[in-house]
Amino acid sequence: MTVKEFYEDIRGDYVGVIERMSSDDIVKMFIVKFLGDKNMNMLEAAVENRDVSGAFTYAHALKGLVGNFGFSILYNNLCEYVEELRPQTQMPDEAAFEKIKEQYNFIVEKAKQIN
């Protein structure tokens, strides 16, 4: 799968990411690094532990990362989630995190198919 096909499959912002990173090779290099990023693992642990502050920190960091990559659907879901966490008084509905987790896993599986 090409980088462009990957972005089509995940309904991401291919044009925007190419404008920022200038070539498929650079995008591909950063997607490989994204696969090693630990923010989602840390977010999942914070959610499991009902750690609102930690969840906010990791969701916010992940939001910035996926925003730069043009992972539009995941980015939009994280924006909503971060805003729900911002007061740091309670955890959002579990369904909101499950939606994020599902989209994240979908992106990871598709990213592994890039050649």
Side-chain angles (χ1 to χ4, degrees):
M1 168 185 305
T2 67
V3 171
K4 185 174 184 181
E5 290 168 336
F6 164 76
Y7 274 90
E8 289 169 357
D9 281 359
I10 68 162
R11 296 184 303 165
D13 181 15
Y14 176 74
V15 172
V17 81
I18 288 299
E19 286 175 358
R20 283 189 297 283
M21 298 188 194
S22 74
S23 78
D24 282 4
D25 288 338
I26 293 172
V27 173
K28 190 164 130 180
M29 178 185 70
F30 279 105
I31 289 174
V32 168
K33 289 183 184 238
F34 169 77
L35 293 174
D37 182 74
K38 300 295 182 207
N39 280 300
M40 185 61 179
N41 294 340
M42 300 302 288
L43 173 58
E44 190 167 16
V47 169
E48 287 175 10
N49 293 321
R50 312 284 302 158
D51 175 5
V52 178
S53 178
F56 175 79
T57 298
Y58 298 115
H60 196 277
L62 188 58
K63 178 186 86 162
L65 187 63
V66 302
N68 285 330
F69 281 114
F71 299 165
S72 306
I73 295 171
L74 180 56
Y75 175 76
N76 291 335
N77 290 335
L78 280 162
C79 284
E80 292 175 18
Y81 195 70
V82 165
E83 288 311 309
E84 289 182 41
L85 285 166
R86 190 170 298 282
Q88 297 190 28
T89 55
Q90 66 183 23
M91 293 297 293
D93 185 313
E94 286 183 35
F97 179 69
E98 289 304 314
K99 187 165 53 170
I100 288 167
K101 189 175 170 181
E102 181 180 311
Q103 184 63 28
Y104 177 87
N105 289 335
F106 176 72
I107 289 169
V108 166
E109 288 308 309
K110 290 293 182 177
K112 289 176 181 177
Q113 297 174 28
I114 297 172
N115 51 29

